[in-house]
Amino acid sequence: MFDLQEVINDTKVRLCLDCGKCTAVCPVTRYDAEFNPRLVVQGALSQNGYGPVGETIWSCISCNMCMERCNYNVKFTDFIRYLRYKALVEGAEVQYNHGGTPQAIMHIMGRKDTKQNRLSWLPGDIKIDKHSDTAFFVGCAPYFDVLFSDLGVKTIEGTKGALALLNRAQIPFTLLPNERCCGRDLLVMGDIEGFLALARANLNEFKKRGIKNIITSCPEGYYTLKVDYPKFLENWDINVRHITEVIAPIVGTDQLVLGRLNQRVTYHDSCTLGRYSKVFDQPRHILNSIDGLEMVEMKDNREKALCCGASPWAFCGSVNKQIQKERLAQAAATGADILVTACPKCQIHLRCAQKDKESDDIHQIEIRDLSAFVAQSLLPQEVS
Amino acid sequence: MNSEELRIGVFVCDCGLNIAGSVDTEKVRESAEKLDGVVVSVRNKYTCADPGQEEIKRCIREYSLNRVVVASCTPRMHESTFRNCVAQAGLNPYLFEMASIREHCSWVHLHDREAATDKAKDIVKIAVSRARLLQPQEETKIPITDKALVIGGGVAGIQAALDLADAGHQVYLVEKAASVGGIMAQLDKTFPTMDCSICVLGPKMMDVGRHHQITLMTYSQIEAISGYVGNFTVRVRKKARYVDETVCNSCGRCAEVCPVVVPDEFQQGFSSRKAAYIPFPQAVPSSYLIDMEHCLGNSPITCGKCVDVCEKDCIDLNMQDELVDIDVGVIIVATGMDVYDPTALDEYGYTRFENVIATMEFERLICGGGPTEGKLVRPSDYQVPKRIGFIQCVGSRTEDKGYPYCSNVCCMNTIKDSLLINEHYPDTEVFVFYMDIRAYGKGFEDLYRRSKEEGVHYIRGLPGEVIEDPDTKNLIIRVENTTTCLVEEHELDMVVLSVGLKPSDDLKHLTGIINISQTADGFVMEAHPKLRPVDAPTPGIFFAGSVEAPKDIKDSVTQAGAAVARASILLNSGTVHGDAVKAVIDPEKCPSCGLCARVCPFGAIEVDVKAKTGARVIAAACAGCGACAAECRFEAITIQHFLDDQILAQINAALEEEPEKKIITFLCNWCSYAASDMAGISRMQYPPNNRFIRVMCSGRVDEHFILHAFKLGAPIVLLSGCHIGDCHYSSANHWTMKRADRLWNRMEKLGIRPERLQLEWISAAEGPRFAKIMHDIEDLRQKVTQEEIERTKEVLAVEKLTHLGSIEEPSVAS
Amino acid sequence: MYPKVLIFSCNWDGWSCIETATNSGFRYPASVKVVRVSCLSRIHTGLILKAFEFGVDGVILLGCEPGNCHFGSDSEYIIKEYKKAQNILEMLGIWKDRLALVQLTAFDGHQFVTEVMKFLDEIEQRPASRRVRTAVSEFA
């Protein structure tokens, strides 16, 4: 499916200057000396792209910190995705986490004839416009909440918060009862077939309902629909926006008045919304528009934000946990009571690290979803 | 038109068997005799040899010839030979025309004698048709003012000024800072010799200040430049120093009493100076000046302390800028380069961490004349650092933040610095973090070796970021040592960012005033990167030093010498010969629309669009490309020796018989014609249907030439020029491209298949490709039906071919 | 053609029922396959869903009755996984009772076969994919 030469050209790996800046800033390398992004590229390129690569290709968490520093913006994460795809084709074994449940769910979801029942969480007071050509893409939140119920995570609160904000701002949208997972986790693992099944099923759903615009609160869904879908699908022409891009311009105007929250929070930039999509200002603008809210930045923020150590539900282990510890420590150092993030996977992974209540070097800061948090500040509306 | 009777002589050359072997030259000679105006037609074995040339001269006298056509090899070989020959016989050399029946005929049609002979006859007919319309031309002689302007007083500008002055020419050296010296004056030592920089530069600076042939204008900027090679008029603004530099004796009393303290730029902000100051002790001119931006005010009520103590009475707080007009013959641009500011590379902490400094700051710290008198101390606590790290390639070799090119000197500069540190502080450990060490020059590798022998640590890997320890202000660097593939952490007392070099910010200002352009990396563009490295494309302007690209002192000085040598050619000869191919504007037809001036790649046309006085060609600057003539909507411009009528006559002659079999090809003199010659020399064979028309530049080819050819029944027209970016006339072939686009649109509207006009960019080296194109285009021609041709003739018979008065204006490329 | 069913059976009470059934000559269709584990607590949602991903029509979790675990373990683990898996299956549009938890006393071969046949009967009656119910049906 992938032509090696095309991948090499597209990712510009031949331009690698061999400077090692990527390895120096990689959070995985910090805790696993065997992982070396530069060596992955150089090793793979030796023998014209067929050089030895080894097990370490599975260690990358796709945070893109390497690309942030690279002089030539070599697309490392795309290249490693190709190496993973090749390894899978050649029969490599994947270490799934959580029993492979997420992947099994995604594969079943990817079937054309799957007809889901995924909207039972929908509160009765959310207004939906059946005829709107704008859809709110929910993503995997309903599934996450069942799967990770023992973490106490309720990522669907984020969705509900986003919908409440859209309702308040009187922005019409519809919900798709059979939307699929965006497929990012399979794509990142190199399971391109699995990803394509989901992507095609999604495209079918959107086209069937004449959807022209998508708003979503999940950063991974946002990036995948906006950037990866056009690369892999032929007829993709849907405009994709993140909830913060929709809300930020209108917050503080008559269209959307936020209330008051007397809290001290810190904002965690998720990699896909931050470094990948460069959406840094909008979430901050929204938080700063809430009266009484004090927003403190962590040591590494914006382009330099430390990844939450998220995995594509595979090869997740002690290295990820170390990264989560580091990020939680940075959050604690700000003195904030709450860590706010837009990404459900960040929430899940950080909370997973926090499951360990015994260690005194894992900080038990409260973690909230951005949309849920902001929606909390909405004053009750008078019924007209 | 000539009123005299035309008496044309045709000389057909056998060229041994080169031509006669495949062309029946006797038949060609015979057919030439029958052409209108031809009074004698001669055949020679070797026309270029002495006997052949003698024969031409004899015929000119005997037959009172007033036009000569030689049908032999390519004009690119012998045009000047024969021009000289006819000139010796008293005939104006521009009344000579050459027909190539060797490279364009006998050598490329070796196996079809009949077709080759027919084509040769045609070629001669075409040449004669042009010859009829040739006019005598005088080559312009432009006098050159024997004075030179050097812009920029760094080491390159200083060297250029001295060389020119020593050679006996008058020089104006204009420098924007208050003293000459540039970056070299700020360096401590130079590589690879480890000379003290200001010590070697100082005497040169003094020479420049003293030389009786050099007029030094410091604290001055160029306001405007007009004119052309040999005759530039320059307006210089001498900014007010508020001190008379000819009187000031640098006693320094004014600085002592001045109450204003500001950071000293020369010391990179590490120490301070007063508002009344001298840039540095060795400044030339050795005079103080007042920094009026920070001075408390030039009224005696506000301060005036300096005026009170000046024993020479040379402070005048009411001084004004002075505008000086000078006339020069040549200009050498030596405005140097700037240093990259690494603040944007936030990960290295420059300006956030006190102990992270950049190259020039290091130079001042370690220099004996610096703010610490040469004691290398770190900014946070003035302690001597025990561990110093240099990070290379900061702002270079990157598409991200900085510039994509390699800045040339930073590797050697760091090696030099490492040895300086080792010399003064043998206990200090030095680390160099690099991607590649570029030690290419004479003595460079030696210095690198010395540095390694002294124990400097070279670690191949660039740090991802620099972190500061808030207590000690030490810096922690995480770097992958790519040789061992292990990530290392180093704690350092001080970090020096070896920053790259970038084009001077002033260059934007300069390119607006003078006709020089920048290449993609922002440095100035030379006429040819290999063969004319110090010439600007505009005649009379030269480059020296790092204005052209980052370079070290040796290369700057070398280049200065080269620029002086090139400039001297002009200055010494006293006159410049322009060839006669120049644009000429008919003032009666010109409505001063300004299009020609915008189109000219050399800025050789002046026009006042508001005053409507008519456009005027500056003959000395005109290169004769013809883009203006082709673009002019009012038929007001033509090119001497390449008149519209001459070109149209050639088209008429070519298509007189059996037009449907002929392909009209316009070849630009520099690339495409050379390619056709190359194909000929290589004996590449191709079909004989092409008839070539030579123009100096593809930009000369007017739309109506092409439409005229179609009107006369040409099946195909091929327009060929240099590759974009390689045009001999800089950007003139951009207009060719735009014109072709317009013409294709027009052809489509007229119902003429656009494929019948072909556009090819062929470089001089592409002989084989030229031959292939000849084959391809003949295939195309065979697909054009007679019906199509007739229909086209009908349509064009009633169509207005010229664009007289048409409103549509092309968008002008910047 | 009977539906394809996968039985996860614990090694002790569960397996004893299967053995007894076989030895007693009770029959059940060959499309029902068994995977033996030492205790049902070994089974998690991922394994159950994997079976559905591979295309089975039903999964039975066969184990001991509460209090009888050979390892002294509680059935709280498997019940949790069972509920979780059912939740997810429902969301995926797969009828949740295609996953059954059968807790039997040891050596009860007869009951085992009865449960299996009842299960096969029930799932055979369901259409292959289910129309989405609930308040959201107006979008369908």
Side-chain angles (χ1 to χ4, degrees):
Chain A
M1 156 176 320
F2 281 126
D3 175 53
L4 170 68
Q5 289 309 316
E6 261 182 47
V7 170
I8 288 180
N9 289 344
D10 181 54
T11 54
K12 301 198 282 178
V13 288
R14 285 204 202 282
L15 293 183
C16 167
L17 285 167
D18 224 5
C19 69
K21 283 204 274 192
C22 50
T23 310
V25 294
C26 175
V28 175
T29 306
R30 261 212 290 287
Y31 298 108
D32 175 9
E34 267 194 45
F35 180 64
N36 186 323
R38 181 193 61 87
L39 216 46
V40 168
V41 168
Q42 293 296 338
L45 275 182
S46 71
Q47 295 165 52
N48 207 20
Y50 294 101
V53 162
E55 297 283 304
T56 64
I57 59 170
W58 305 106
S59 309
C60 170
I61 53 177
S62 308
C63 74
N64 263 19
M65 194 59 202
C66 48
M67 283 172 63
E68 191 59 37
R69 291 279 176 263
C70 180
N71 276 10
Y72 282 107
N73 296 115
V74 168
K75 294 191 202 156
F76 180 74
T77 36
D78 283 3
F79 187 65
I80 224 173
R81 177 173 79 198
Y82 165 77
L83 294 174
R84 289 174 176 178
Y85 162 76
K86 203 156 75 87
L88 287 178
V89 160
E90 287 163 9
E93 274 197 28
V94 180
Q95 267 176 49
Y96 289 122
N97 295 101
H98 304 286
T101 314
Q103 287 82 359
I105 295 177
M106 289 184 236
H107 285 140
I108 296 175
M109 234 200 264
R111 291 196 202 139
K112 276 201 276 249
D113 57 0
T114 295
K115 274 212 168 39
Q116 298 165 83
N117 177 14
R118 50 179 293 146
L119 289 171
S120 54
W121 52 269
L122 189 63
D125 57 354
I126 295 287
K127 274 187 280 299
I128 297 182
D129 178 359
K130 284 189 277 180
H131 304 292
S132 174
D133 64 6
T134 298
F136 187 88
F137 183 79
V138 174
C140 294
Y143 292 91
F144 285 156
D145 291 350
V146 173
L147 205 43
F148 301 109
S149 50
D150 54 345
L151 290 179
V153 84
K154 290 194 181 54
T155 56
I156 202 64
E157 293 301 317
T159 313
K160 289 188 201 167
L163 297 183
L165 289 169
L166 287 173
N167 268 174
R168 182 64 66 96
Q170 300 193 318
I171 295 173
F173 61 89
T174 182
L175 287 174
L176 300 165
N178 207 15
E179 68 174 60
R180 311 299 208 273
C181 162
C182 68
R184 175 152 193 83
D185 291 319
L186 294 180
L187 180 63
V188 160
M189 277 302 296
D191 181 357
I192 309 293
E193 307 283 351
F195 162 74
L196 279 176
L198 288 165
R200 289 186 186 128
N202 262 331
L203 181 62
N204 197 32
E205 285 301 314
F206 301 145
K207 287 289 176 209
K208 243 181 12 195
R209 280 165 178 75
I211 300 300
K212 299 223 173 55
N213 302 290
I214 289 178
I215 304 174
T216 181
S217 59
C218 175
E220 308 239 314
Y222 166 66
Y223 182 80
T224 310
L225 291 173
K226 185 169 169 154
V227 177
D228 287 315
Y229 273 33
K231 277 198 225 162
F232 284 92
L233 296 172
E234 297 236 326
N235 322 324
W236 183 264
D237 57 359
I238 300 179
N239 177 35
V240 182
R241 283 178 300 164
H242 189 256
I243 184 73
T244 51
E245 288 180 313
V246 176
I247 296 295
I250 55 171
V251 94
T253 67
D254 287 336
Q255 202 179 350
L256 184 61
V257 177
L258 298 177
R260 191 176 180 84
L261 286 174
N262 291 329
Q263 299 274 20
R264 190 163 196 215
V265 304
T266 182
Y267 175 71
H268 165 77
D269 294 279
S270 58
C271 301
T272 25
L273 193 61
R275 267 188 295 277
Y276 277 70
S277 309
K278 310 273 186 264
V279 176
F280 302 111
D281 295 322
Q282 291 90 327
R284 286 171 168 81
H285 176 73
I286 295 169
L287 287 171
N288 285 329
S289 309
I290 300 176
D291 282 330
L293 193 69
E294 193 191 335
M295 217 281 278
V296 203
E297 296 277 6
M298 284 185 269
K299 178 176 95 124
D300 290 330
N301 57 64
R302 300 182 142 242
E303 294 90 352
K304 277 175 36 165
L306 179 60
C307 180
C308 70
S311 65
W313 318 117
F315 292 100
C316 189
S318 59
V319 171
N320 307 67
K321 179 137 179 216
Q322 304 276 65
I323 298 173
Q324 280 135 28
K325 263 208 258 190
E326 197 184 329
R327 191 50 164 170
L328 289 169
Q330 286 189 0
T334 62
D337 306 308
I338 301 178
L339 180 146
V340 173
T341 178
C343 179
K345 283 184 70 180
C346 292
Q347 253 200 76
I348 293 168
H349 281 82
L350 288 170
R351 277 182 194 257
C352 172
Q354 284 180 333
K355 249 195 338 193
D356 180 354
K357 306 257 187 262
E358 307 302 315
S359 305
D360 51 7
D361 59 350
I362 296 184
H363 296 273
Q364 301 291 334
I365 186 172
E366 190 187 337
I367 300 177
R368 300 285 308 283
D369 178 278
L370 175 72
S371 304
F373 185 73
V374 173
Q376 196 190 320
S377 82
L378 286 174
L379 300 161
Q381 218 173 17
E382 273 124 40
V383 180
S384 51
Chain B
M1 293 305 286
N2 282 8
S3 51
E4 61 173 308
E5 184 205 332
L6 281 171
R7 301 182 63 77
I8 307 174
V10 176
F11 301 83
V12 180
C13 188
D14 274 8
C15 196
L17 282 176
N18 281 317
I19 300 180
S22 40
V23 167
D24 189 338
T25 45
E26 182 50 37
K27 287 221 174 91
V28 176
R29 189 204 67 76
E30 272 172 21
S31 86
E33 239 171 7
K34 303 190 188 108
L35 296 169
D36 252 349
V38 173
V39 301
V40 64
S41 181
V42 169
R43 190 176 141 207
N44 292 109
K45 214 154 174 67
Y46 294 105
T47 316
C48 55
D50 257 349
Q53 291 200 40
E54 285 308 311
E55 170 124 42
I56 295 179
K57 290 187 225 174
R58 188 183 58 80
C59 288
I60 291 175
R61 283 192 300 270
E62 227 175 271
Y63 295 89
S64 305
L65 296 180
N66 48 31
R67 303 284 186 278
V68 170
V69 174
V70 170
S72 59
C73 50
T74 171
R76 295 177 90 253
M77 184 160 253
H78 277 316
E79 185 171 56
S80 41
T81 316
F82 290 118
R83 274 188 180 166
N84 281 337
C85 169
V86 306
Q88 280 164 23
L91 195 59
N92 184 291
Y94 284 82
L95 295 175
F96 164 76
E97 171 71 353
M98 198 147 167
S100 169
I101 57 171
R102 191 180 71 172
E103 281 84 343
H104 279 178
C105 191
S106 70
W107 272 348
V108 293
H109 309 306
L110 290 168
H111 310 296
D112 189 345
R113 198 174 172 81
E114 203 186 310
T117 308
D118 279 342
K119 180 171 173 184
K121 290 184 199 168
D122 247 4
I123 292 176
V124 172
K125 185 162 77 169
I126 294 171
V128 168
S129 74
R130 180 164 184 234
R132 283 195 202 105
L133 297 174
L134 289 174
Q135 304 286 329
Q137 307 287 349
E138 292 304 320
E139 282 188 343
T140 48
K141 278 206 200 30
I142 303 158
I144 298 195
T145 312
D146 188 6
K147 295 196 198 140
L149 168 67
V150 177
I151 310 179
V155 63
I158 289 172
Q159 187 63 43
L162 287 172
D163 283 351
L164 277 168
D166 286 341
H169 304 290
Q170 240 214 297
V171 185
Y172 296 96
L173 177 55
V174 175
E175 164 59 48
K176 75 169 194 273
S179 164
V180 292
I183 290 181
M184 190 175 171
Q186 293 185 55
L187 300 174
D188 177 33
K189 304 279 195 300
T190 63
F191 59 80
T193 48
M194 307 298 272
D195 286 315
C196 158
S197 184
I198 192 63
C199 307
V200 297
L201 185 62
K204 283 195 195 280
M205 286 164 61
M206 304 240 28
D207 283 346
V208 146
R210 273 200 303 247
H211 207 296
H212 63 278
Q213 292 275 80
I214 300 179
T215 307
L216 179 60
M217 291 189 265
T218 53
Y219 215 46
S220 304
Q221 267 195 300
I222 308 287
E223 281 260 302
I225 298 183
S226 60
Y228 49 91
V229 58
N231 299 274
F232 293 107
T233 307
V234 183
R235 169 159 289 192
V236 180
R237 174 180 290 272
K238 293 179 70 172
K239 297 204 304 247
R241 275 178 182 254
Y242 305 97
V243 171
D244 185 344
E245 73 216 49
T246 55
V247 179
C248 171
N249 64 358
S250 313
C251 68
R253 299 268 276 282
C254 50
E256 277 172 39
V257 300
C258 176
V260 178
V261 177
V262 290
D264 185 348
E265 312 89 341
F266 186 80
Q267 306 288 13
Q268 299 292 311
F270 280 131
S271 61
S272 52
R273 60 162 174 83
K274 302 294 188 68
Y277 70 108
I278 189 167
F280 51 97
Q282 305 91 336
V284 168
S286 179
S287 158
Y288 276 64
L289 69 153
I290 316 274
D291 172 5
M292 198 44 75
E293 221 182 291
H294 294 109
C295 169
L296 290 177
N298 40 5
S299 128
I301 304 172
T302 342
C303 179
K305 290 201 175 69
C306 51
V307 180
D308 291 339
V309 299
C310 177
E311 63 192 30
K312 286 285 193 175
D313 238 343
C314 57
I315 300 182
D316 175 7
L317 294 174
N318 293 315
M319 200 185 274
Q320 299 292 319
D321 289 353
E322 199 190 321
L323 288 172
V324 176
D325 286 326
I326 52 180
D327 290 318
V328 294
V330 295
I331 300 177
I332 296 184
V333 178
T335 50
M337 60 194 174
D338 277 346
V339 175
Y340 176 71
D341 178 353
T343 313
L345 276 166
D346 188 59
E347 56 260 33
Y348 287 153
Y350 184 71
T351 70
R352 284 192 297 126
F353 306 147
E354 277 179 87
N355 293 324
V356 173
I357 60 174
T359 311
M360 295 308 289
E361 291 162 335
F362 178 85
E363 289 297 311
R364 294 319 300 158
L365 281 175
I366 199 135
C367 179
T372 59
E373 291 176 355
K375 186 148 181 259
L376 180 63
V377 293
R378 60 181 208 157
S380 68
D381 55 14
Y382 305 125
Q383 296 300 307
V384 173
K386 288 275 171 255
R387 292 157 306 188
I388 303 182
F390 286 84
I391 302 179
Q392 298 300 108
C393 298
V394 173
S396 304
R397 302 181 68 189
T398 175
E399 271 177 11
D400 200 25
K401 291 171 211 147
Y403 295 85
Y405 50 81
C406 166
S407 293
N408 197 310
V409 301
C410 344
C411 281
M412 287 314 299
N413 194 59
T414 294
I415 292 174
K416 166 204 88 182
D417 288 345
S418 72
L419 284 167
L420 285 177
I421 297 170
N422 192 267
E423 200 183 296
H424 293 308
Y425 304 101
D427 291 335
T428 299
E429 268 190 291
V430 180
F431 296 86
V432 177
F433 303 102
Y434 70 98
M435 282 198 275
D436 298 286
I437 293 290
R438 296 183 162 171
Y440 57 88
K442 191 168 178 177
F444 289 6
E445 182 70 20
D446 264 347
L447 208 69
Y448 179 38
R449 182 180 147 170
R450 254 176 71 190
S451 172
K452 285 195 279 192
E453 282 173 346
E454 296 295 336
V456 172
H457 304 283
Y458 283 90
I459 294 173
R460 200 198 171 283
L462 288 186
E465 62 183 337
V466 175
I467 301 169
E468 188 189 47
D469 179 331
D471 300 318
T472 59
K473 301 287 186 199
N474 285 354
L475 303 145
I476 295 139
I477 282 189
R478 262 184 75 81
V479 62
E480 188 207 352
N481 184 332
T482 62
T483 326
T484 61
C485 302
L486 293 172
V487 177
E488 299 174 356
E489 244 182 42
H490 295 271
E491 188 169 342
L492 303 165
D493 302 321
M494 194 157 98
V495 164
V496 181
L497 301 178
S498 191
V499 286
L501 299 156
K502 64 186 195 63
S504 160
D505 284 331
D506 291 332
L507 212 47
K508 274 265 164 296
H509 165 76
L510 207 55
T511 51
I513 296 176
I514 193 174
N515 196 17
I516 55 179
S517 27
Q518 293 168 282
T519 45
D521 57 14
F523 290 93
V524 291
M525 187 170 81
E526 30 331 32
H528 191 284
K530 288 275 199 229
L531 297 178
R532 290 176 67 195
V534 296
D535 294 16
T538 310
I541 303 176
F542 306 93
F543 300 126
S546 40
V547 66
E548 180 260 328
K551 55 175 64 76
D552 65 349
I553 293 164
K554 172 179 177 175
D555 286 345
S556 296
V557 170
T558 309
Q559 225 184 24
V564 166
R566 300 288 298 160
S568 298
I569 297 174
L570 287 172
L571 293 175
N572 291 348
S573 70
T575 54
V576 115
H577 276 261
D579 83 57
V581 179
K582 300 279 176 198
V584 167
I585 301 182
D586 182 347
E588 315 232 320
K589 293 192 183 146
C590 171
S592 304
C593 72
L595 183 55
C596 51
R598 272 186 284 155
V599 159
C600 177
F602 300 97
I605 302 187
E606 279 175 347
V607 64
D608 190 336
V609 180
K610 292 200 184 82
K612 302 265 177 221
T613 46
R616 197 180 73 83
V617 177
I618 305 162
C622 174
C625 64
C628 53
E631 283 296 312
C632 177
R633 304 244 156 273
F634 301 93
E635 306 297 305
I637 311 183
T638 192
I639 308 294
Q640 269 166 200
H641 200 58
F642 282 91
L643 300 174
D644 284 12
D645 286 345
Q646 288 162 1
I647 297 177
L648 289 169
Q650 290 176 283
I651 299 175
N652 288 343
L655 295 174
E656 202 181 319
E657 287 164 27
E658 295 186 304
E660 67 281 356
K661 292 223 175 80
K662 316 263 175 74
I663 301 168
I664 300 290
T665 298
F666 294 95
L667 296 175
C668 86
N669 182 59
W670 304 96
C671 280
S672 310
Y673 205 98
S676 69
D677 285 347
M678 171 72 82
I681 294 168
S682 315
R683 314 292 198 278
M684 316 210 96
Q685 304 297 298
Y686 53 80
N689 300 65
N690 254 284
R691 299 294 179 267
F692 302 116
I693 297 178
R694 179 179 171 220
V695 284
M696 291 314 276
C697 178
S698 60
R700 173 76 187 92
V701 179
D702 201 317
E703 285 154 43
H704 93 255
F705 300 163
I706 299 172
L707 290 172
H708 185 78
F710 284 129
K711 182 166 153 191
L712 293 183
I716 303 272
V717 172
L718 168 62
L719 177 50
S720 175
C722 306
H723 286 278
I724 297 283
D726 291 343
C727 179
H728 181 86
Y729 301 96
S730 181
S731 55
N733 61 355
H734 282 118
W735 300 105
T736 315
M737 203 163 58
K738 287 187 200 285
R739 213 167 296 138
D741 273 328
R742 285 206 301 270
L743 205 42
W744 280 319
N745 284 340
R746 198 170 167 196
M747 282 166 72
E748 218 166 351
K749 289 199 188 106
L750 291 170
I752 311 173
R753 254 196 314 142
E755 301 78 69
R756 289 173 60 193
L757 169 62
Q758 289 286 311
L759 177 65
E760 289 285 353
W761 307 121
I762 311 177
S763 85
E766 290 179 315
R769 183 162 162 249
F770 181 86
K772 177 167 186 310
I773 291 173
M774 292 294 107
H775 280 286
D776 290 344
I777 213 168
E778 168 61 11
D779 287 340
L780 262 173
R781 183 200 69 81
Q782 285 174 5
K783 297 198 179 86
V784 180
T785 61
Q786 189 59 34
E787 207 176 46
E788 250 187 287
I789 295 176
E790 292 305 318
R791 210 176 26 219
T792 305
K793 279 159 79 171
E794 277 170 29
V795 166
L796 290 177
V798 295
E799 177 78 4
K800 182 172 71 185
L801 297 188
T802 62
H803 37 231
L804 204 59
S806 91
I807 314 155
E808 189 203 323
E809 266 192 22
S811 58
V812 180
S814 49
Chain C
M1 283 297 297
Y2 283 98
K4 287 198 292 248
V5 168
L6 186 68
I7 304 181
F8 289 106
S9 168
C10 81
N11 188 44
W12 307 97
D13 287 7
W15 186 251
S16 69
C17 292
I18 298 177
E19 273 196 335
T20 310
T22 314
N23 293 342
S24 308
F26 297 137
R27 292 194 182 305
Y28 59 90
S31 64
V32 177
K33 311 270 191 238
V34 180
V35 167
R36 187 162 49 136
V37 288
S38 42
C39 176
L40 267 190
S41 334
R42 174 70 182 87
I43 303 300
H44 56 75
T45 315
L47 289 170
I48 298 170
L49 286 173
K50 204 73 181 167
F52 280 102
E53 185 191 334
F54 285 153
V56 303
D57 301 306
V59 170
I60 295 177
L61 304 170
L62 176 65
C64 59
E65 281 188 332
N68 289 355
C69 180
H70 177 91
F71 297 100
S73 174
D74 215 338
S75 23
E76 72 171 280
Y77 289 116
I78 189 58
I79 288 178
K80 202 165 110 193
E81 291 303 305
Y82 163 66
K83 291 211 167 95
K84 208 196 276 189
Q86 280 203 320
N87 220 330
I88 292 177
L89 286 170
E90 179 136 47
M91 279 204 280
L92 283 171
I94 298 173
W95 182 47
K96 65 177 170 57
D97 288 329
R98 285 180 184 270
L99 173 65
L101 176 63
V102 174
Q103 295 171 299
L104 301 175
T105 54
F107 303 109
D108 196 344
H110 183 260
Q111 188 59 17
F112 164 68
V113 175
T114 312
E115 291 287 345
V116 168
M117 297 315 289
K118 186 172 94 176
F119 181 70
L120 286 171
D121 206 34
E122 277 172 1
I123 60 178
E124 209 172 359
Q125 303 214 4
R126 310 291 312 189
S129 67
R130 205 167 138 263
R131 259 190 67 90
V132 171
R133 220 175 26 152
T134 79
V136 170
S137 59
E138 54 230 50
F139 301 107

